[in-house]
Amino acid sequence: MTAPALKLTDLHKSFGPAKIIQGVNLEIEKGERHAIIGPNGAGKSTLFNLISGQFWPTSGSVELNGQDISRMKPHEVNRRGLSRSFQVSNVFTNMTVRENVRCGVLYSMGHGYSFWRNVGNLREVQEKTSAILEHVGLIDKANLPAALLPYADQRTLEIAITIAGGAGVILLDEPTAGMSHSETDRAVALIEKATEGKTLIIVEHDMGVVFGLADRISVLVYGEIIATGRPEEIRGDPRVREAYLGDENLEGVA
Amino acid sequence: MSDMATENFANLAPSNAQKFRMRVLPFVLFAAVAVLIPLFGPSRSAYSLLNAIGINIVFALSYNMLLGRAGLLSFGHAVYFGLGGYAALHAMGMIENADGGFWGSVPVFAMPLVGFAGGALAGAVIGWPSCRRAGTAFAMISLGVAELIAAMGFMFGSIFGGEEGISGDRMNGPEVFGLSLGPIGEVYWFIAFWTVLAALLIFAFTRTPLGRMSEATRDNPQRVEFVGYDPTRVRYLVFIAAGGFAGLAGGMSAVNYEIFTPEALSLLPSGFVLIMTYVGGARYFAGPVLGAIVLTYMQSNLSDFTEAWLLYLGLLFITIVMYAPNGLAGIVAGLWNGTRATGMAYLKTWAARVVAIAIAMVGVIVLVEVAVRKSNGYGEVFEPFGLHLTPGSPLTWALVIVPLIVGLGLLRHLARDEQEAGA
Ligand SMILES: Nc1ncnc2c1ncn2[C@@H]1O[C@H](COP(=O)(O)OP(=O)(O)OP(=O)(O)O)[C@@H](O)[C@H]1O
Ligand SMILES: [Mg+2]
């Protein structure tokens, strides 16, 4: 048996006296699409920050493909094949869309800190960048400054940068937040396409998206996972209904 | 709306012609100007001004690798300029005393490379602790380091030569391009060569992966981490490169002046390079070039006319910071774009603004010049155009107050007009 893509063991995180993550255990298999849901302030983004190296856990461990990454910096985690997006768009606003994606591509293609090559002449980098832009449907806007992108396109760019480095484990934090219905549908299709064959962990409030996309779902409440299971298990779980989902939330997806 | 924006930008990918115009042509022109200048037979003093400008162009461009590109505010960049310069002078000493051997074959022409090595080495040592932090912490550390190194400069006499500094002689060793480097006209070619080369290399640096990531780190260090880069590492490497080019400018200076004193490491030149870069415009590659030209000219000429020139420099700096944060280059770019977009109307308000500033300047100049002479206490009187302006005369005060009110009033009026037109 190979190691799980991601394994969280008894993970804790406190900010001063505030215990935000309180003993999270979770295993996510390679290729799985895993959704994390929970009310506002449950600690979902904090969990992402712990996994991606933004914060270090107070105790417990994070393992990526069997390797402990809980004391690594974000760039070290990223180089080991884990990439994340942000709840609030976090792109390079002074650059064009193409340059944004190129930033995501450069390191993975071995051009890390090089200062002896002209970026404009790196053929493979240009091709990879164009391929990603094509893939996510931003190729027509490639030369637009990122700051001028409409909101939904900024979210798409956020995803594009996240997948650009070719990481095997992708963390998306509320990728469809604030989108209209049709925009959400397009975003979901994109996420499915872009993460094919990869491990996906997604935080999402839109239950339609969650139940449509996820192989398994974890419910995080007050820093604890109160249930993990397949969508139909979660839907039927009385504790989940009580703690979070509320009956009206489920009507739409039942 | 969004579609419109998209349409306008759809073809933004620079064509080859545009690339040529934006990236190659400016350098061709720059080099052409440098080559053509001697044909006009500049005087000795013109040559020495030109040489100073060349040195400051490279110095300011190297500073802008930090300030403009990497977003790092340094108060101690002269440290790398000075250490590079000292390295070059010591190397010139070795060349002078060489009896064949390695140093016997090194041309003085190559001293900027020694300066580069010295500056980069200093950057590598000092940058190691200071690049861990960006923002205010980085600025404060740079200030502390500058104080430290300048103090050391006065202490270690054998290296820095104490107050008199150390001097050298550039007319030794093998010649390059047939230049003996004796007459100032030959030094000009040396300066021009290195200025153009360094400007080219610094520009090329902005187009490398590291150069691009330094801008990304400036804008969003968090995201940079999540695409695999260590922001500390990016800053550190840029810092070394910036130190290297500052050292290169120091090496040019060593050959040009044949002397370096510990002053050169101090906060004064560090402040001056900051002002040159900022006044020129840190957001533009050409900004520091412009700033170096204008401020070096002011430094050498204005100081002949008035002892209060530093005061004017301060005023200029403050005005730019407050009203034209993109510097002279920003003003030029704005003028160009504005005129292209709205035609003569823009040019007219712009000219009106220049007139208003000139009027207000009359008041400022009278005030400063009269005050300086009074505070000197030699009983000297400011006498422009045959006027006799004593501190007590009503004419003096009229010449201070009226132009100030008229000039500033006009500026306000213009600003209001513009706002109404914009609304
Ligand atoms: N750096 C921090 N310092 C102190 N408290 C923090 C910090 N980051 C998050 N918190 C707190 O942790 C709690 C969980 O925040 P988090 O952003 O993880 O929630 P979330 O589940 O992502 O919520 P949402 O659905 O609104 O995005 C909040 O109460 C927040 O105030
Ligand atoms: Mg969140």
Side-chain angles (χ1 to χ4, degrees), chain A residues 52 54 74-75 78-79 84 86 90-91 94 99 106-107 111-114 117-119 143-144 158 161-162, chain B residues 2 6 9 12-13 207-210 212-213 216 219-220 222-223 225-230 233-234 237:
Chain A
S52 61
Q54 177 82 64
H75 65 272
N78 182 272
R79 291 175 197 172
R84 69 166 292 186
F86 290 81
N90 197 357
V91 302
N94 281 333
E99 286 170 327
L106 276 175
Y107 198 92
H111 297 292
Y113 300 101
S114 84
R117 311 271 319 250
N118 181 339
V119 272
N143 299 307
L144 200 66
E158 180 76 38
I161 298 172
T162 308
Chain B
S2 64
T6 319
F9 283 98
L12 250 194
R207 316 251 344 128
T208 63
L210 180 60
R212 304 310 293 184
M213 291 319 292
D219 293 338
N220 193 343
Q222 188 191 34
R223 190 68 201 231
E225 289 189 89
F226 291 99
V227 294
Y229 286 83
D230 181 0
R233 186 77 174 280
V234 172
L237 293 172

Side-chain angles (χ1 to χ4, degrees), chain B residues 365-418:
Chain B
I365 290 171
V366 171
L367 180 66
V368 168
E369 295 303 322
V370 171
V372 164
R373 282 167 180 73
K374 173 155 171 60
S375 79
N376 278 348
Y378 299 135
E380 213 185 317
V381 173
F382 183 42
E383 293 179 320
F385 306 108
L387 295 171
H388 190 75
L389 302 178
T390 59
S393 114
L395 178 64
T396 304
W397 289 101
L399 278 178
V400 171
I401 292 166
V402 174
L404 268 180
I405 290 178
V406 172
L408 295 181
L410 197 56
L411 274 176
R412 258 182 84 153
H413 181 73
L414 288 168
R416 201 169 302 149
D417 273 4
E418 193 175 56

Side-chain angles (χ1 to χ4, degrees), chain A residues 3 70 89 98 138 163 246 248:
Chain A
S70 42
S89 294
R98 182 187 299 279
L138 282 177
I163 61 165
E248 71 278 19

